[in-house]
Amino acid sequence: MTEISVKVNGERYDITDVEPRVLLSDFLRDRLGLTGTHVGCEHGVCGACTILVNGDSARACLMLAVQTDGAEIVTVEGLGSAEELNVLQSQFREHHGLQCGYCTPGMLMTGEDLLRKYPLATDEDIREGLSGNLCRCTGYQNIVAAIRSAATMRAGKKS
């Protein structure tokens, strides 16, 4: 067993009995109860398990929990709440950027990373940024519209 100290969604966790082989996705879901991080392909291809680790998007199914010792992690639960959605979440709702919802947490986390780092000057920039996330229910148009709208809102508010 290994000990790790990690900050997840602003809360510090010091866990003393982490199996060295436990995937970060399983740790988040099973140990911390943060079930918004979905597990799809378990090969890092679908993007359903996307989270932010130290400010960068990462696939939780490709990382071991012990690799995050000392890291700061944000999961979809850390973006906002049902009572107070963040800008991107509200725009996903406004533009109907989801259908079944399975890919939505990963899309939101990837979108959040894109909004923080890139100017996203065109819809093609957004589509390219989302290319590592798969959705079987939508044509991505509403997801792109939601991210475009959030980018415009954030640029206006400078948040």
Side-chain angles (χ1 to χ4, degrees):
M1 298 289 190
T2 303
E3 181 176 337
I4 67 170
S5 179
V6 63
K7 191 180 230 183
V8 181
N9 300 330
E11 186 174 336
R12 170 79 47 208
Y13 294 90
D14 296 307
I15 313 256
T16 59
D17 60 344
V18 179
E19 288 268 351
R21 64 182 181 194
V22 150
L23 294 174
L24 180 57
S25 54
D26 294 332
F27 176 79
L28 292 168
R29 293 178 60 78
D30 300 338
R31 289 296 297 269
L32 302 186
L34 299 170
T35 57
T37 301
H38 292 169
V39 179
C41 68
E42 296 187 273
H43 296 286
V45 176
C46 73
C49 68
T50 304
I51 58 170
L52 300 178
V53 178
N54 295 327
D56 294 318
S57 61
R59 304 289 203 239
C61 77
L62 294 180
M63 295 183 75
L64 298 172
V66 296
Q67 290 176 283
T68 64
D69 185 35
E72 187 164 331
I73 297 171
V74 178
T75 68
V76 70
E77 291 92 345
L79 291 183
S81 67
E83 298 78 28
E84 190 173 332
L85 301 175
N86 83 351
V87 170
L88 182 57
Q89 290 171 312
S90 70
Q91 293 312 295
F92 260 66
R93 182 178 64 190
E94 180 74 24
H95 293 275
H96 308 288
L98 61 106
Q99 284 187 7
C100 83
Y102 197 82
C103 72
T104 303
M107 290 286 189
L108 285 166
M109 298 311 293
T110 298
E112 189 68 26
D113 189 43
L114 293 171
L115 288 167
R116 290 178 183 185
K117 293 180 180 174
Y118 303 104
L120 303 176
T122 67
D123 285 356
E124 187 56 38
D125 291 341
I126 295 170
R127 287 182 183 282
E128 184 176 330
L130 291 174
S131 65
N133 291 69
L134 302 178
C135 176
R136 294 175 188 251
C137 297
T138 72
Y140 295 87
Q141 188 57 39
N142 293 347
I143 295 168
V144 171
I147 293 173
R148 160 72 46 237
S149 180
T152 301
M153 291 175 77
R154 284 189 178 180
K157 291 182 180 178
K158 297 294 181 204
S159 58

